[in-house]
Amino acid sequence: MMAGRDDAPKRRGLLSGLTVRQAAATLVVAVALGGLGSAVELVVDWRAHRAEAAAAARQVLDMMRGPAEEAAYQLDPGLARQVAQGLLSIGQVARAAVTDDYGGELAAAARPQAGPPGKLAAWLFGDVAFYRLEMARDGRPLGRLEVALSPDRLAESFFDRAAVNAASGLLRALAISAVIAALFAWMVTRPIVRLGQNVALVDPAAPARRLIATPKGRENDEIGDLAAALN
């Protein structure tokens, strides 16, 4: 009766297998590359967010130009107040004011603030937070329409969008790692395990009685070459 090898393949811990190591290495690389890509995307998104805020502020000023000019021309504080309060209804606007041609305020409206903008918010959006529209009629200066955006609100919407992008990037990295680990297990780890099992079935006292079987479908690759060499 043929005796099997005593040195059969040992069971390894969950974290010591090739598949797990390959998955871990792939995950590290995917997260690193994803982090680099996310950083570039973050800068691009930051610039786009600044441009969007500037475009929105200028559009709002243009929309309110007519009523603001009329208020300044008539020196009408009531109409000027309506213009300022209308501007304040836009979520990112922190303060709005209508001034006359001497620089005096006809009306102003401001959103209650807990304090000055945070340092990071001010650094990211402080230089795109203030806009001024010079008003004139028939070549005569009438005054200014001023709008100040909230850097904190701009930063909040920017970070919300950045968090969504970061989460999607992490999920992408996990999905890529899972797919690569599954392919590696199917194409490399499983044939090696089967080859090891076939080697363990050979009787070392009479190895010629039983040749090492090549895992099915791997006859023409390196796994097949290894099996042939062991025989």
Side-chain angles (χ1 to χ4, degrees):
M1 187 173 178
M2 191 185 311
R5 287 178 179 263
D6 293 333
D7 53 346
K10 298 179 180 179
R11 290 186 176 274
R12 294 179 175 85
L14 179 63
L15 300 180
S16 61
L18 284 175
T19 301
V20 174
R21 292 182 181 180
Q22 174 70 17
T26 304
L27 180 60
V28 170
V29 173
V31 169
L33 293 178
L36 180 61
S38 295
V40 174
E41 187 178 1
L42 190 67
V43 173
V44 172
D45 192 41
W46 169 62
R47 291 181 176 176
H49 203 65
R50 288 164 57 89
E52 290 171 7
R58 295 189 183 100
Q59 183 179 11
V60 167
L61 288 174
D62 287 338
M63 287 173 52
M64 302 300 290
R65 177 194 290 268
E69 286 182 350
E70 186 64 25
Y73 183 76
Q74 298 291 340
L75 296 176
D76 186 343
L79 181 56
R81 189 176 303 108
Q82 291 179 17
V83 171
Q85 290 175 347
L87 287 169
L88 204 65
S89 66
I90 300 171
Q92 293 178 341
V93 174
R95 188 180 186 278
V98 179
T99 67
D100 58 26
D101 56 337
Y102 297 105
E105 283 190 354
L106 289 174
R111 196 182 304 278
Q113 300 288 328
K119 290 184 178 180
L120 181 58
W123 181 76
L124 290 172
F125 299 104
D127 60 330
V128 294
F130 184 77
Y131 297 88
R132 175 183 297 166
L133 177 66
E134 299 290 341
M135 299 183 294
R137 179 174 291 183
D138 300 328
R140 173 194 165 193
L142 295 177
R144 293 186 299 272
L145 176 59
E146 300 174 350
V147 167
L149 304 181
S150 169
D152 287 327
R153 292 198 173 214
L154 291 173
E156 181 181 356
S157 60
F158 168 67
F159 287 132
D160 287 344
R161 199 156 65 181
V164 171
N165 291 338
S168 64
L170 179 59
L171 290 176
R172 235 180 357 251
L174 291 173
I176 292 172
S177 299
V179 170
I180 293 178
L183 289 173
F184 186 81
W186 179 66
M187 298 181 66
V188 178
T189 307
R190 192 168 76 167
I192 290 177
V193 170
R194 288 184 176 176
L195 182 61
Q197 292 171 344
N198 293 339
V199 170
L201 294 175
V202 175
D203 183 1
R209 293 182 181 179
R210 185 186 183 106
L211 296 179
I212 298 172
T214 302
K216 186 178 180 180
R218 311 310 299 267
E219 295 83 359
N220 298 316
D221 62 13
E222 287 81 356
I223 299 294
D225 293 342
L226 179 59
L230 290 173
N231 284 324

